[in-house]
Amino acid sequence: MVDQACTSELIACQQCDALYKQPCLNEGQKAECGRCGATLFERKNNSIERTFSLSIAGLLFLTPAIILPIIGVTLAGQFHNASLLDCITQLIGKGFYMIAILVFMFAIAVPTVRLIGALYISYCFKFNKIKPFLLHFFRAYHQLDSWSMLNVFLLAIIVSMYKLLDDTELSVDYGLLAFVLLLLCSTLVSVTLDQDYVWQTLEKECLDENS
Amino acid sequence: MKTAKEMGLGLCPECRKVNEMLSTQQRCSRCGSLFFQRKVNSLQYTLAWNIAALIAFIPANLYPIMIIYSLGVPEASTILSGIGLLIDHNLYPIAVVIFTASIIVPLIKIVGLFFLVLKVHLGQRLKPKKHSKLYHVLEFLGPWSMLDVFVVALLVAVVELGFVSTVEAGPAINYFTLTVIFTMIAATSFDPRLLWDEDDTIEIDKPKEEF
Ligand SMILES: [Zn+2]
Ligand SMILES: [Zn+2]
């Protein structure tokens, strides 16, 4: 049997369950599983600083991305445009509640919560305000990862534009620009945030306090 | 090569800490989440969600996803006929994108998961390296099938905001959304470690616990 002190020096592969002794890595290095090739463990460069700035930038782009029009069309001399918010209110008006909720969840709510979450976590780490509460917070944050569909939504915008190209004059609005930047920040945040580092620090700080 | 399971250890799926499995359901000493050594009934759940996805995929293709009113005459188009229309208009790149996202990706995902479940069930391992790559691909592909749903959502919204011709979402969009969500759940229910367990644990005196 292995006691608790030893288990913290072990890592197991998520894909194939192979057991390894935790390697000592420098920033920017990563360890791969020898059996299945999955990434075992990573030390990301300057993780907290980067996550902090990126999540602030992302939150700044959030409001314009939602409120400013993302598609504008000139048809029969009249100019029409739609923002993400218009999109949702129209869908509700038409009775497509399920789709409205989906668009709201995947394109607005999840990315927003993720950015705020990343900001809060990196803020706490940056200014050394690590609390036991963060353990639960980070766990919840981690679960949002697979439900952000900003990139899919962006592709949908482009496809819709193509579909409307036929009989209309299209214009790209600032809303779309803000949306692209929001997408970039949100994607980069999940790349820069070093989960292993966050977990290990939280464990060291919070669980030692408890015992 | 030792696996965590052979050593009586289990990997926390949330924070990736290796824990000693004191009971079948273990609370992670780091993040406090409850987990099992392997996802419980992984194959059954994956299979069930996968079948649900397949069933929802049928009406998703039979019912119209979009109804276009041109000069007051409603013209319903299914996913496939919509793609046909795009080809007629020589919008090949968009036709390819929509076809990939709405037909190929969901099908690959459903078939791929059936294949993995079957492989684990039969205890066959052809090339695990290949299989776990397949699983990675399946997990990554998931959200992209939302494309058509978002496209229709955007078109409905843009058009509703004051266009001559109108577009309405058809009933297929709900079924299609269900297909996407079901396959995402199916992929998360699958435990890739089962692909590796089978022939490793056979020689060990422990009886097989799962499935
Ligand atoms: Zn591995
Ligand atoms: Zn944990």
Side-chain angles (χ1 to χ4, degrees):
Chain A
M1 270 287 143
V2 194
D3 62 66
Q4 206 62 41
C6 285
T7 57
S8 56
E9 284 165 21
L10 292 169
I11 49 172
C13 175
Q14 277 186 304
Q15 296 294 320
C16 71
D17 214 30
L19 203 60
Y20 296 90
K21 222 172 130 65
Q22 185 157 316
C24 275
L25 297 179
N26 292 325
E27 280 202 355
Q29 285 185 314
K30 71 177 181 182
E32 251 177 31
C33 173
R35 185 154 77 148
C36 73
T39 303
L40 275 177
F41 192 74
E42 229 179 322
R43 267 274 165 271
K44 290 172 178 170
N45 278 320
N46 213 357
S47 164
I48 299 301
E49 292 289 326
R50 287 185 188 177
T51 309
F52 186 70
S53 0
L54 277 169
S55 46
I56 287 181
L59 285 170
L60 288 179
F61 293 126
L62 188 72
T63 324
I66 294 172
I67 292 173
L68 292 179
I70 40 177
I71 309 179
V73 184
T74 312
L75 194 94
Q78 276 185 300
F79 181 71
H80 303 284
N81 55 24
S83 68
L84 212 53
L85 210 59
D86 293 333
C87 182
I88 291 164
T89 47
Q90 286 302 321
L91 285 167
I92 293 173
K94 275 265 147 186
F96 287 102
Y97 300 110
M98 192 174 155
I99 310 301
I101 290 169
L102 280 173
V103 172
F104 176 75
M105 288 294 295
F106 293 152
I108 298 180
V110 174
T112 310
V113 175
R114 274 189 70 217
L115 280 174
I116 293 173
L119 179 65
Y120 182 64
I121 289 161
S122 51
Y123 166 82
C124 290
F125 269 74
K126 200 172 144 88
F127 298 103
N128 270 319
K129 292 182 177 165
I130 297 167
K131 298 161 246 190
F133 158 74
L134 275 177
L135 278 166
H136 302 282
F137 186 81
F138 194 59
R139 196 177 118 205
Y141 168 82
H142 181 60
Q143 284 180 335
L144 284 176
D145 257 14
S146 56
W147 296 99
S148 178
M149 297 199 196
L150 280 176
N151 42 4
V152 183
F153 201 76
L154 181 71
L155 188 61
I157 293 172
I158 296 164
V159 169
S160 321
M161 288 180 149
Y162 255 94
K163 282 197 163 183
L164 289 168
L165 259 184
D166 262 19
D167 36 23
T168 48
E169 228 174 275
L170 248 114
S171 63
V172 177
D173 276 295
Y174 290 114
L176 188 62
L177 183 69
F179 192 82
V180 171
L181 292 170
L182 168 66
L183 169 67
L184 271 178
C185 291
S186 157
T187 314
L188 285 173
V189 161
S190 52
V191 174
T192 54
L193 189 61
D194 192 331
Q195 297 197 356
D196 294 321
Y197 171 74
V198 170
W199 277 123
Q200 279 169 7
T201 315
L202 284 177
E203 184 178 33
K204 221 184 297 161
E205 302 273 327
C206 304
L207 297 181
D208 283 355
E209 258 170 50
N210 288 353
S211 56
Chain B
M1 179 79 61
K2 284 272 181 200
T3 69
K5 192 179 179 183
E6 287 165 26
M7 302 289 286
L9 302 169
L11 184 73
C12 169
E14 299 299 337
C15 71
R16 296 204 253 165
K17 184 185 166 60
V18 176
N19 279 260
E20 197 180 341
M21 298 302 290
L22 300 169
S23 54
T24 43
Q25 195 183 21
Q26 177 69 34
R27 190 172 285 283
C28 174
S29 66
R30 179 152 77 182
C31 71
S33 63
L34 280 169
F35 67 96
F36 296 86
Q37 202 164 32
R38 293 288 178 269
K39 286 175 189 169
V40 176
N41 295 333
S42 163
L43 293 187
Q44 287 90 327
Y45 279 119
T46 311
L47 203 61
W49 285 114
N50 219 3
I51 290 171
L54 197 60
I55 292 171
F57 195 59
I58 298 166
N61 276 287
L62 292 180
Y63 284 113
I65 194 156
M66 203 157 58
I67 302 157
I68 302 164
Y69 290 89
S70 51
L71 303 168
V73 186
E75 198 185 315
S77 72
T78 62
I79 294 175
L80 277 173
S81 73
I83 294 165
L85 269 174
L86 286 172
I87 293 174
D88 287 344
H89 286 77
N90 290 328
L91 294 167
Y92 295 111
I94 295 303
V96 170
V97 168
I98 294 275
F99 185 69
T100 312
S102 329
I103 309 281
I104 297 181
V105 168
L107 278 183
I108 286 185
K109 230 186 136 165
I110 292 169
V111 172
L113 278 173
F114 270 131
F115 175 75
L116 289 179
V117 167
L118 190 73
K119 280 287 162 222
V120 174
H121 183 72
L122 296 176
Q124 290 178 351
R125 304 189 323 151
L126 283 179
K127 284 173 190 142
K129 199 154 191 165
K130 192 178 80 187
H131 286 174
S132 70
K133 285 248 168 63
L134 175 64
Y135 171 73
H136 265 303
V137 171
L138 295 180
E139 221 181 12
F140 170 77
L141 282 179
W144 288 99
S145 341
M146 279 305 267
L147 182 66
D148 224 17
V149 174
F150 286 150
V151 168
V152 175
L154 276 166
L155 285 180
V156 168
V158 172
V159 166
E160 274 307 307
L161 285 162
F163 276 14
V164 182
S165 63
T166 49
V167 173
E168 245 177 55
I173 196 165
N174 288 321
Y175 294 109
F176 195 77
T177 310
L178 287 179
T179 308
V180 177
I181 291 176
F182 287 165
T183 49
M184 282 177 80
I185 300 174
T188 45
S189 318
F190 185 75
D191 195 330
R193 289 170 295 188
L194 294 175
L195 285 168
W196 299 85
D197 278 346
E198 203 64 5
D199 79 337
D200 284 355
T201 37
I202 273 170
E203 269 114 309
I204 310 276
D205 49 352
K206 257 190 285 178
K208 276 185 281 171
E209 296 139 9
E210 261 102 42
F211 41 87

